[in-house]
Amino acid sequence: MLMELTTTFHALKEWAVAINALESGKTIMLLRKGGIHERNGHFQVAHKQILLYPTYEHQQAFMLKAEYANHVYPVTSGWHPEKVPISSWAEITDILPVSDESIVNTLLPFHIWNEHFISDRLKWKPRQPLYILLLRTYKLPQQEIPYHPKYGGCKSWIDLDQPIHLQGAKPVLSDFGYTQLVKTIRQIVGDKLYAPSF
């Protein structure tokens, strides 16, 4: 399932605690609502294969399950590391829109957030569904890139100044393990697949 991609500079910004969970195989799921990239008012994923870029400023412990909340340390507004660690890339294999709170609650065991986060996300832009992103994550030999101001701000997708080499990447989960998780999650959602145009 490993793609032929050898380098990329496209990155998805996500809480560092979520990236750690993806890299350690504790989850394959991110929850997003709007704001990723909306063209003509429709949700779209900008790139299917992305580097995972950790962010720290907006991590909120009270929106995480206890075992993950313990790993979040408050930082001052605007804080960022001078060098940003890039230690994984991922392929977004599935994008599933969900509006039914009961379905989202059934997915609770599969991600790192708590009921407060789910309720908050569903209430924000209530006419838009919550998008479940399933990611096949690959660990990279850790690299550090210099922080650039253009990487900051409330945007999900960024392009790095220099491409990152993906050689030596190893899948976090086996093909079988990942496929089984995806199958279980899609059965819960009801297989309402949103097919992005890559």
Side-chain angles (χ1 to χ4, degrees), residues 122-178:
L122 285 170
K123 285 175 186 162
W124 185 65
K125 294 187 179 178
R127 285 180 294 196
Q128 290 190 16
L130 186 65
Y131 288 93
I132 313 291
L133 306 186
L134 303 185
L135 290 84
R136 181 84 195 265
T137 302
Y138 298 86
K139 278 285 285 173
L140 289 167
Q142 183 166 308
Q143 303 167 64
E144 290 187 330
I145 60 167
Y147 176 81
H148 193 287
K150 71 179 180 184
Y151 301 159
C154 293
K155 50 183 178 262
S156 295
W157 302 101
I158 57 172
D159 284 344
L160 305 182
D161 274 351
Q162 60 202 52
I164 299 286
H165 290 277
L166 306 182
Q167 288 90 339
K170 296 194 168 32
V172 171
L173 297 175
S174 67
D175 284 356
F176 178 78
Y178 185 78

Side-chain angles (χ1 to χ4, degrees), residues 4 13 24 26 35 37 59 74 93 121 125 151 161 195:
E4 291 178 11
K13 292 169 62 178
S24 57
K26 294 191 171 113
H37 182 77
Q59 295 188 114
T93 63
R121 291 291 85 189
K125 294 187 179 178
Y151 301 159
D161 274 351

Side-chain angles (χ1 to χ4, degrees), residues 16 25 61 72 86 102 112 116 120 127 140 147 161 177-178:
V72 170
I86 303 290
S102 67
I112 69 171
H116 181 90
D120 181 75
R127 285 180 294 196
L140 289 167
Y147 176 81
D161 274 351
Y178 185 78

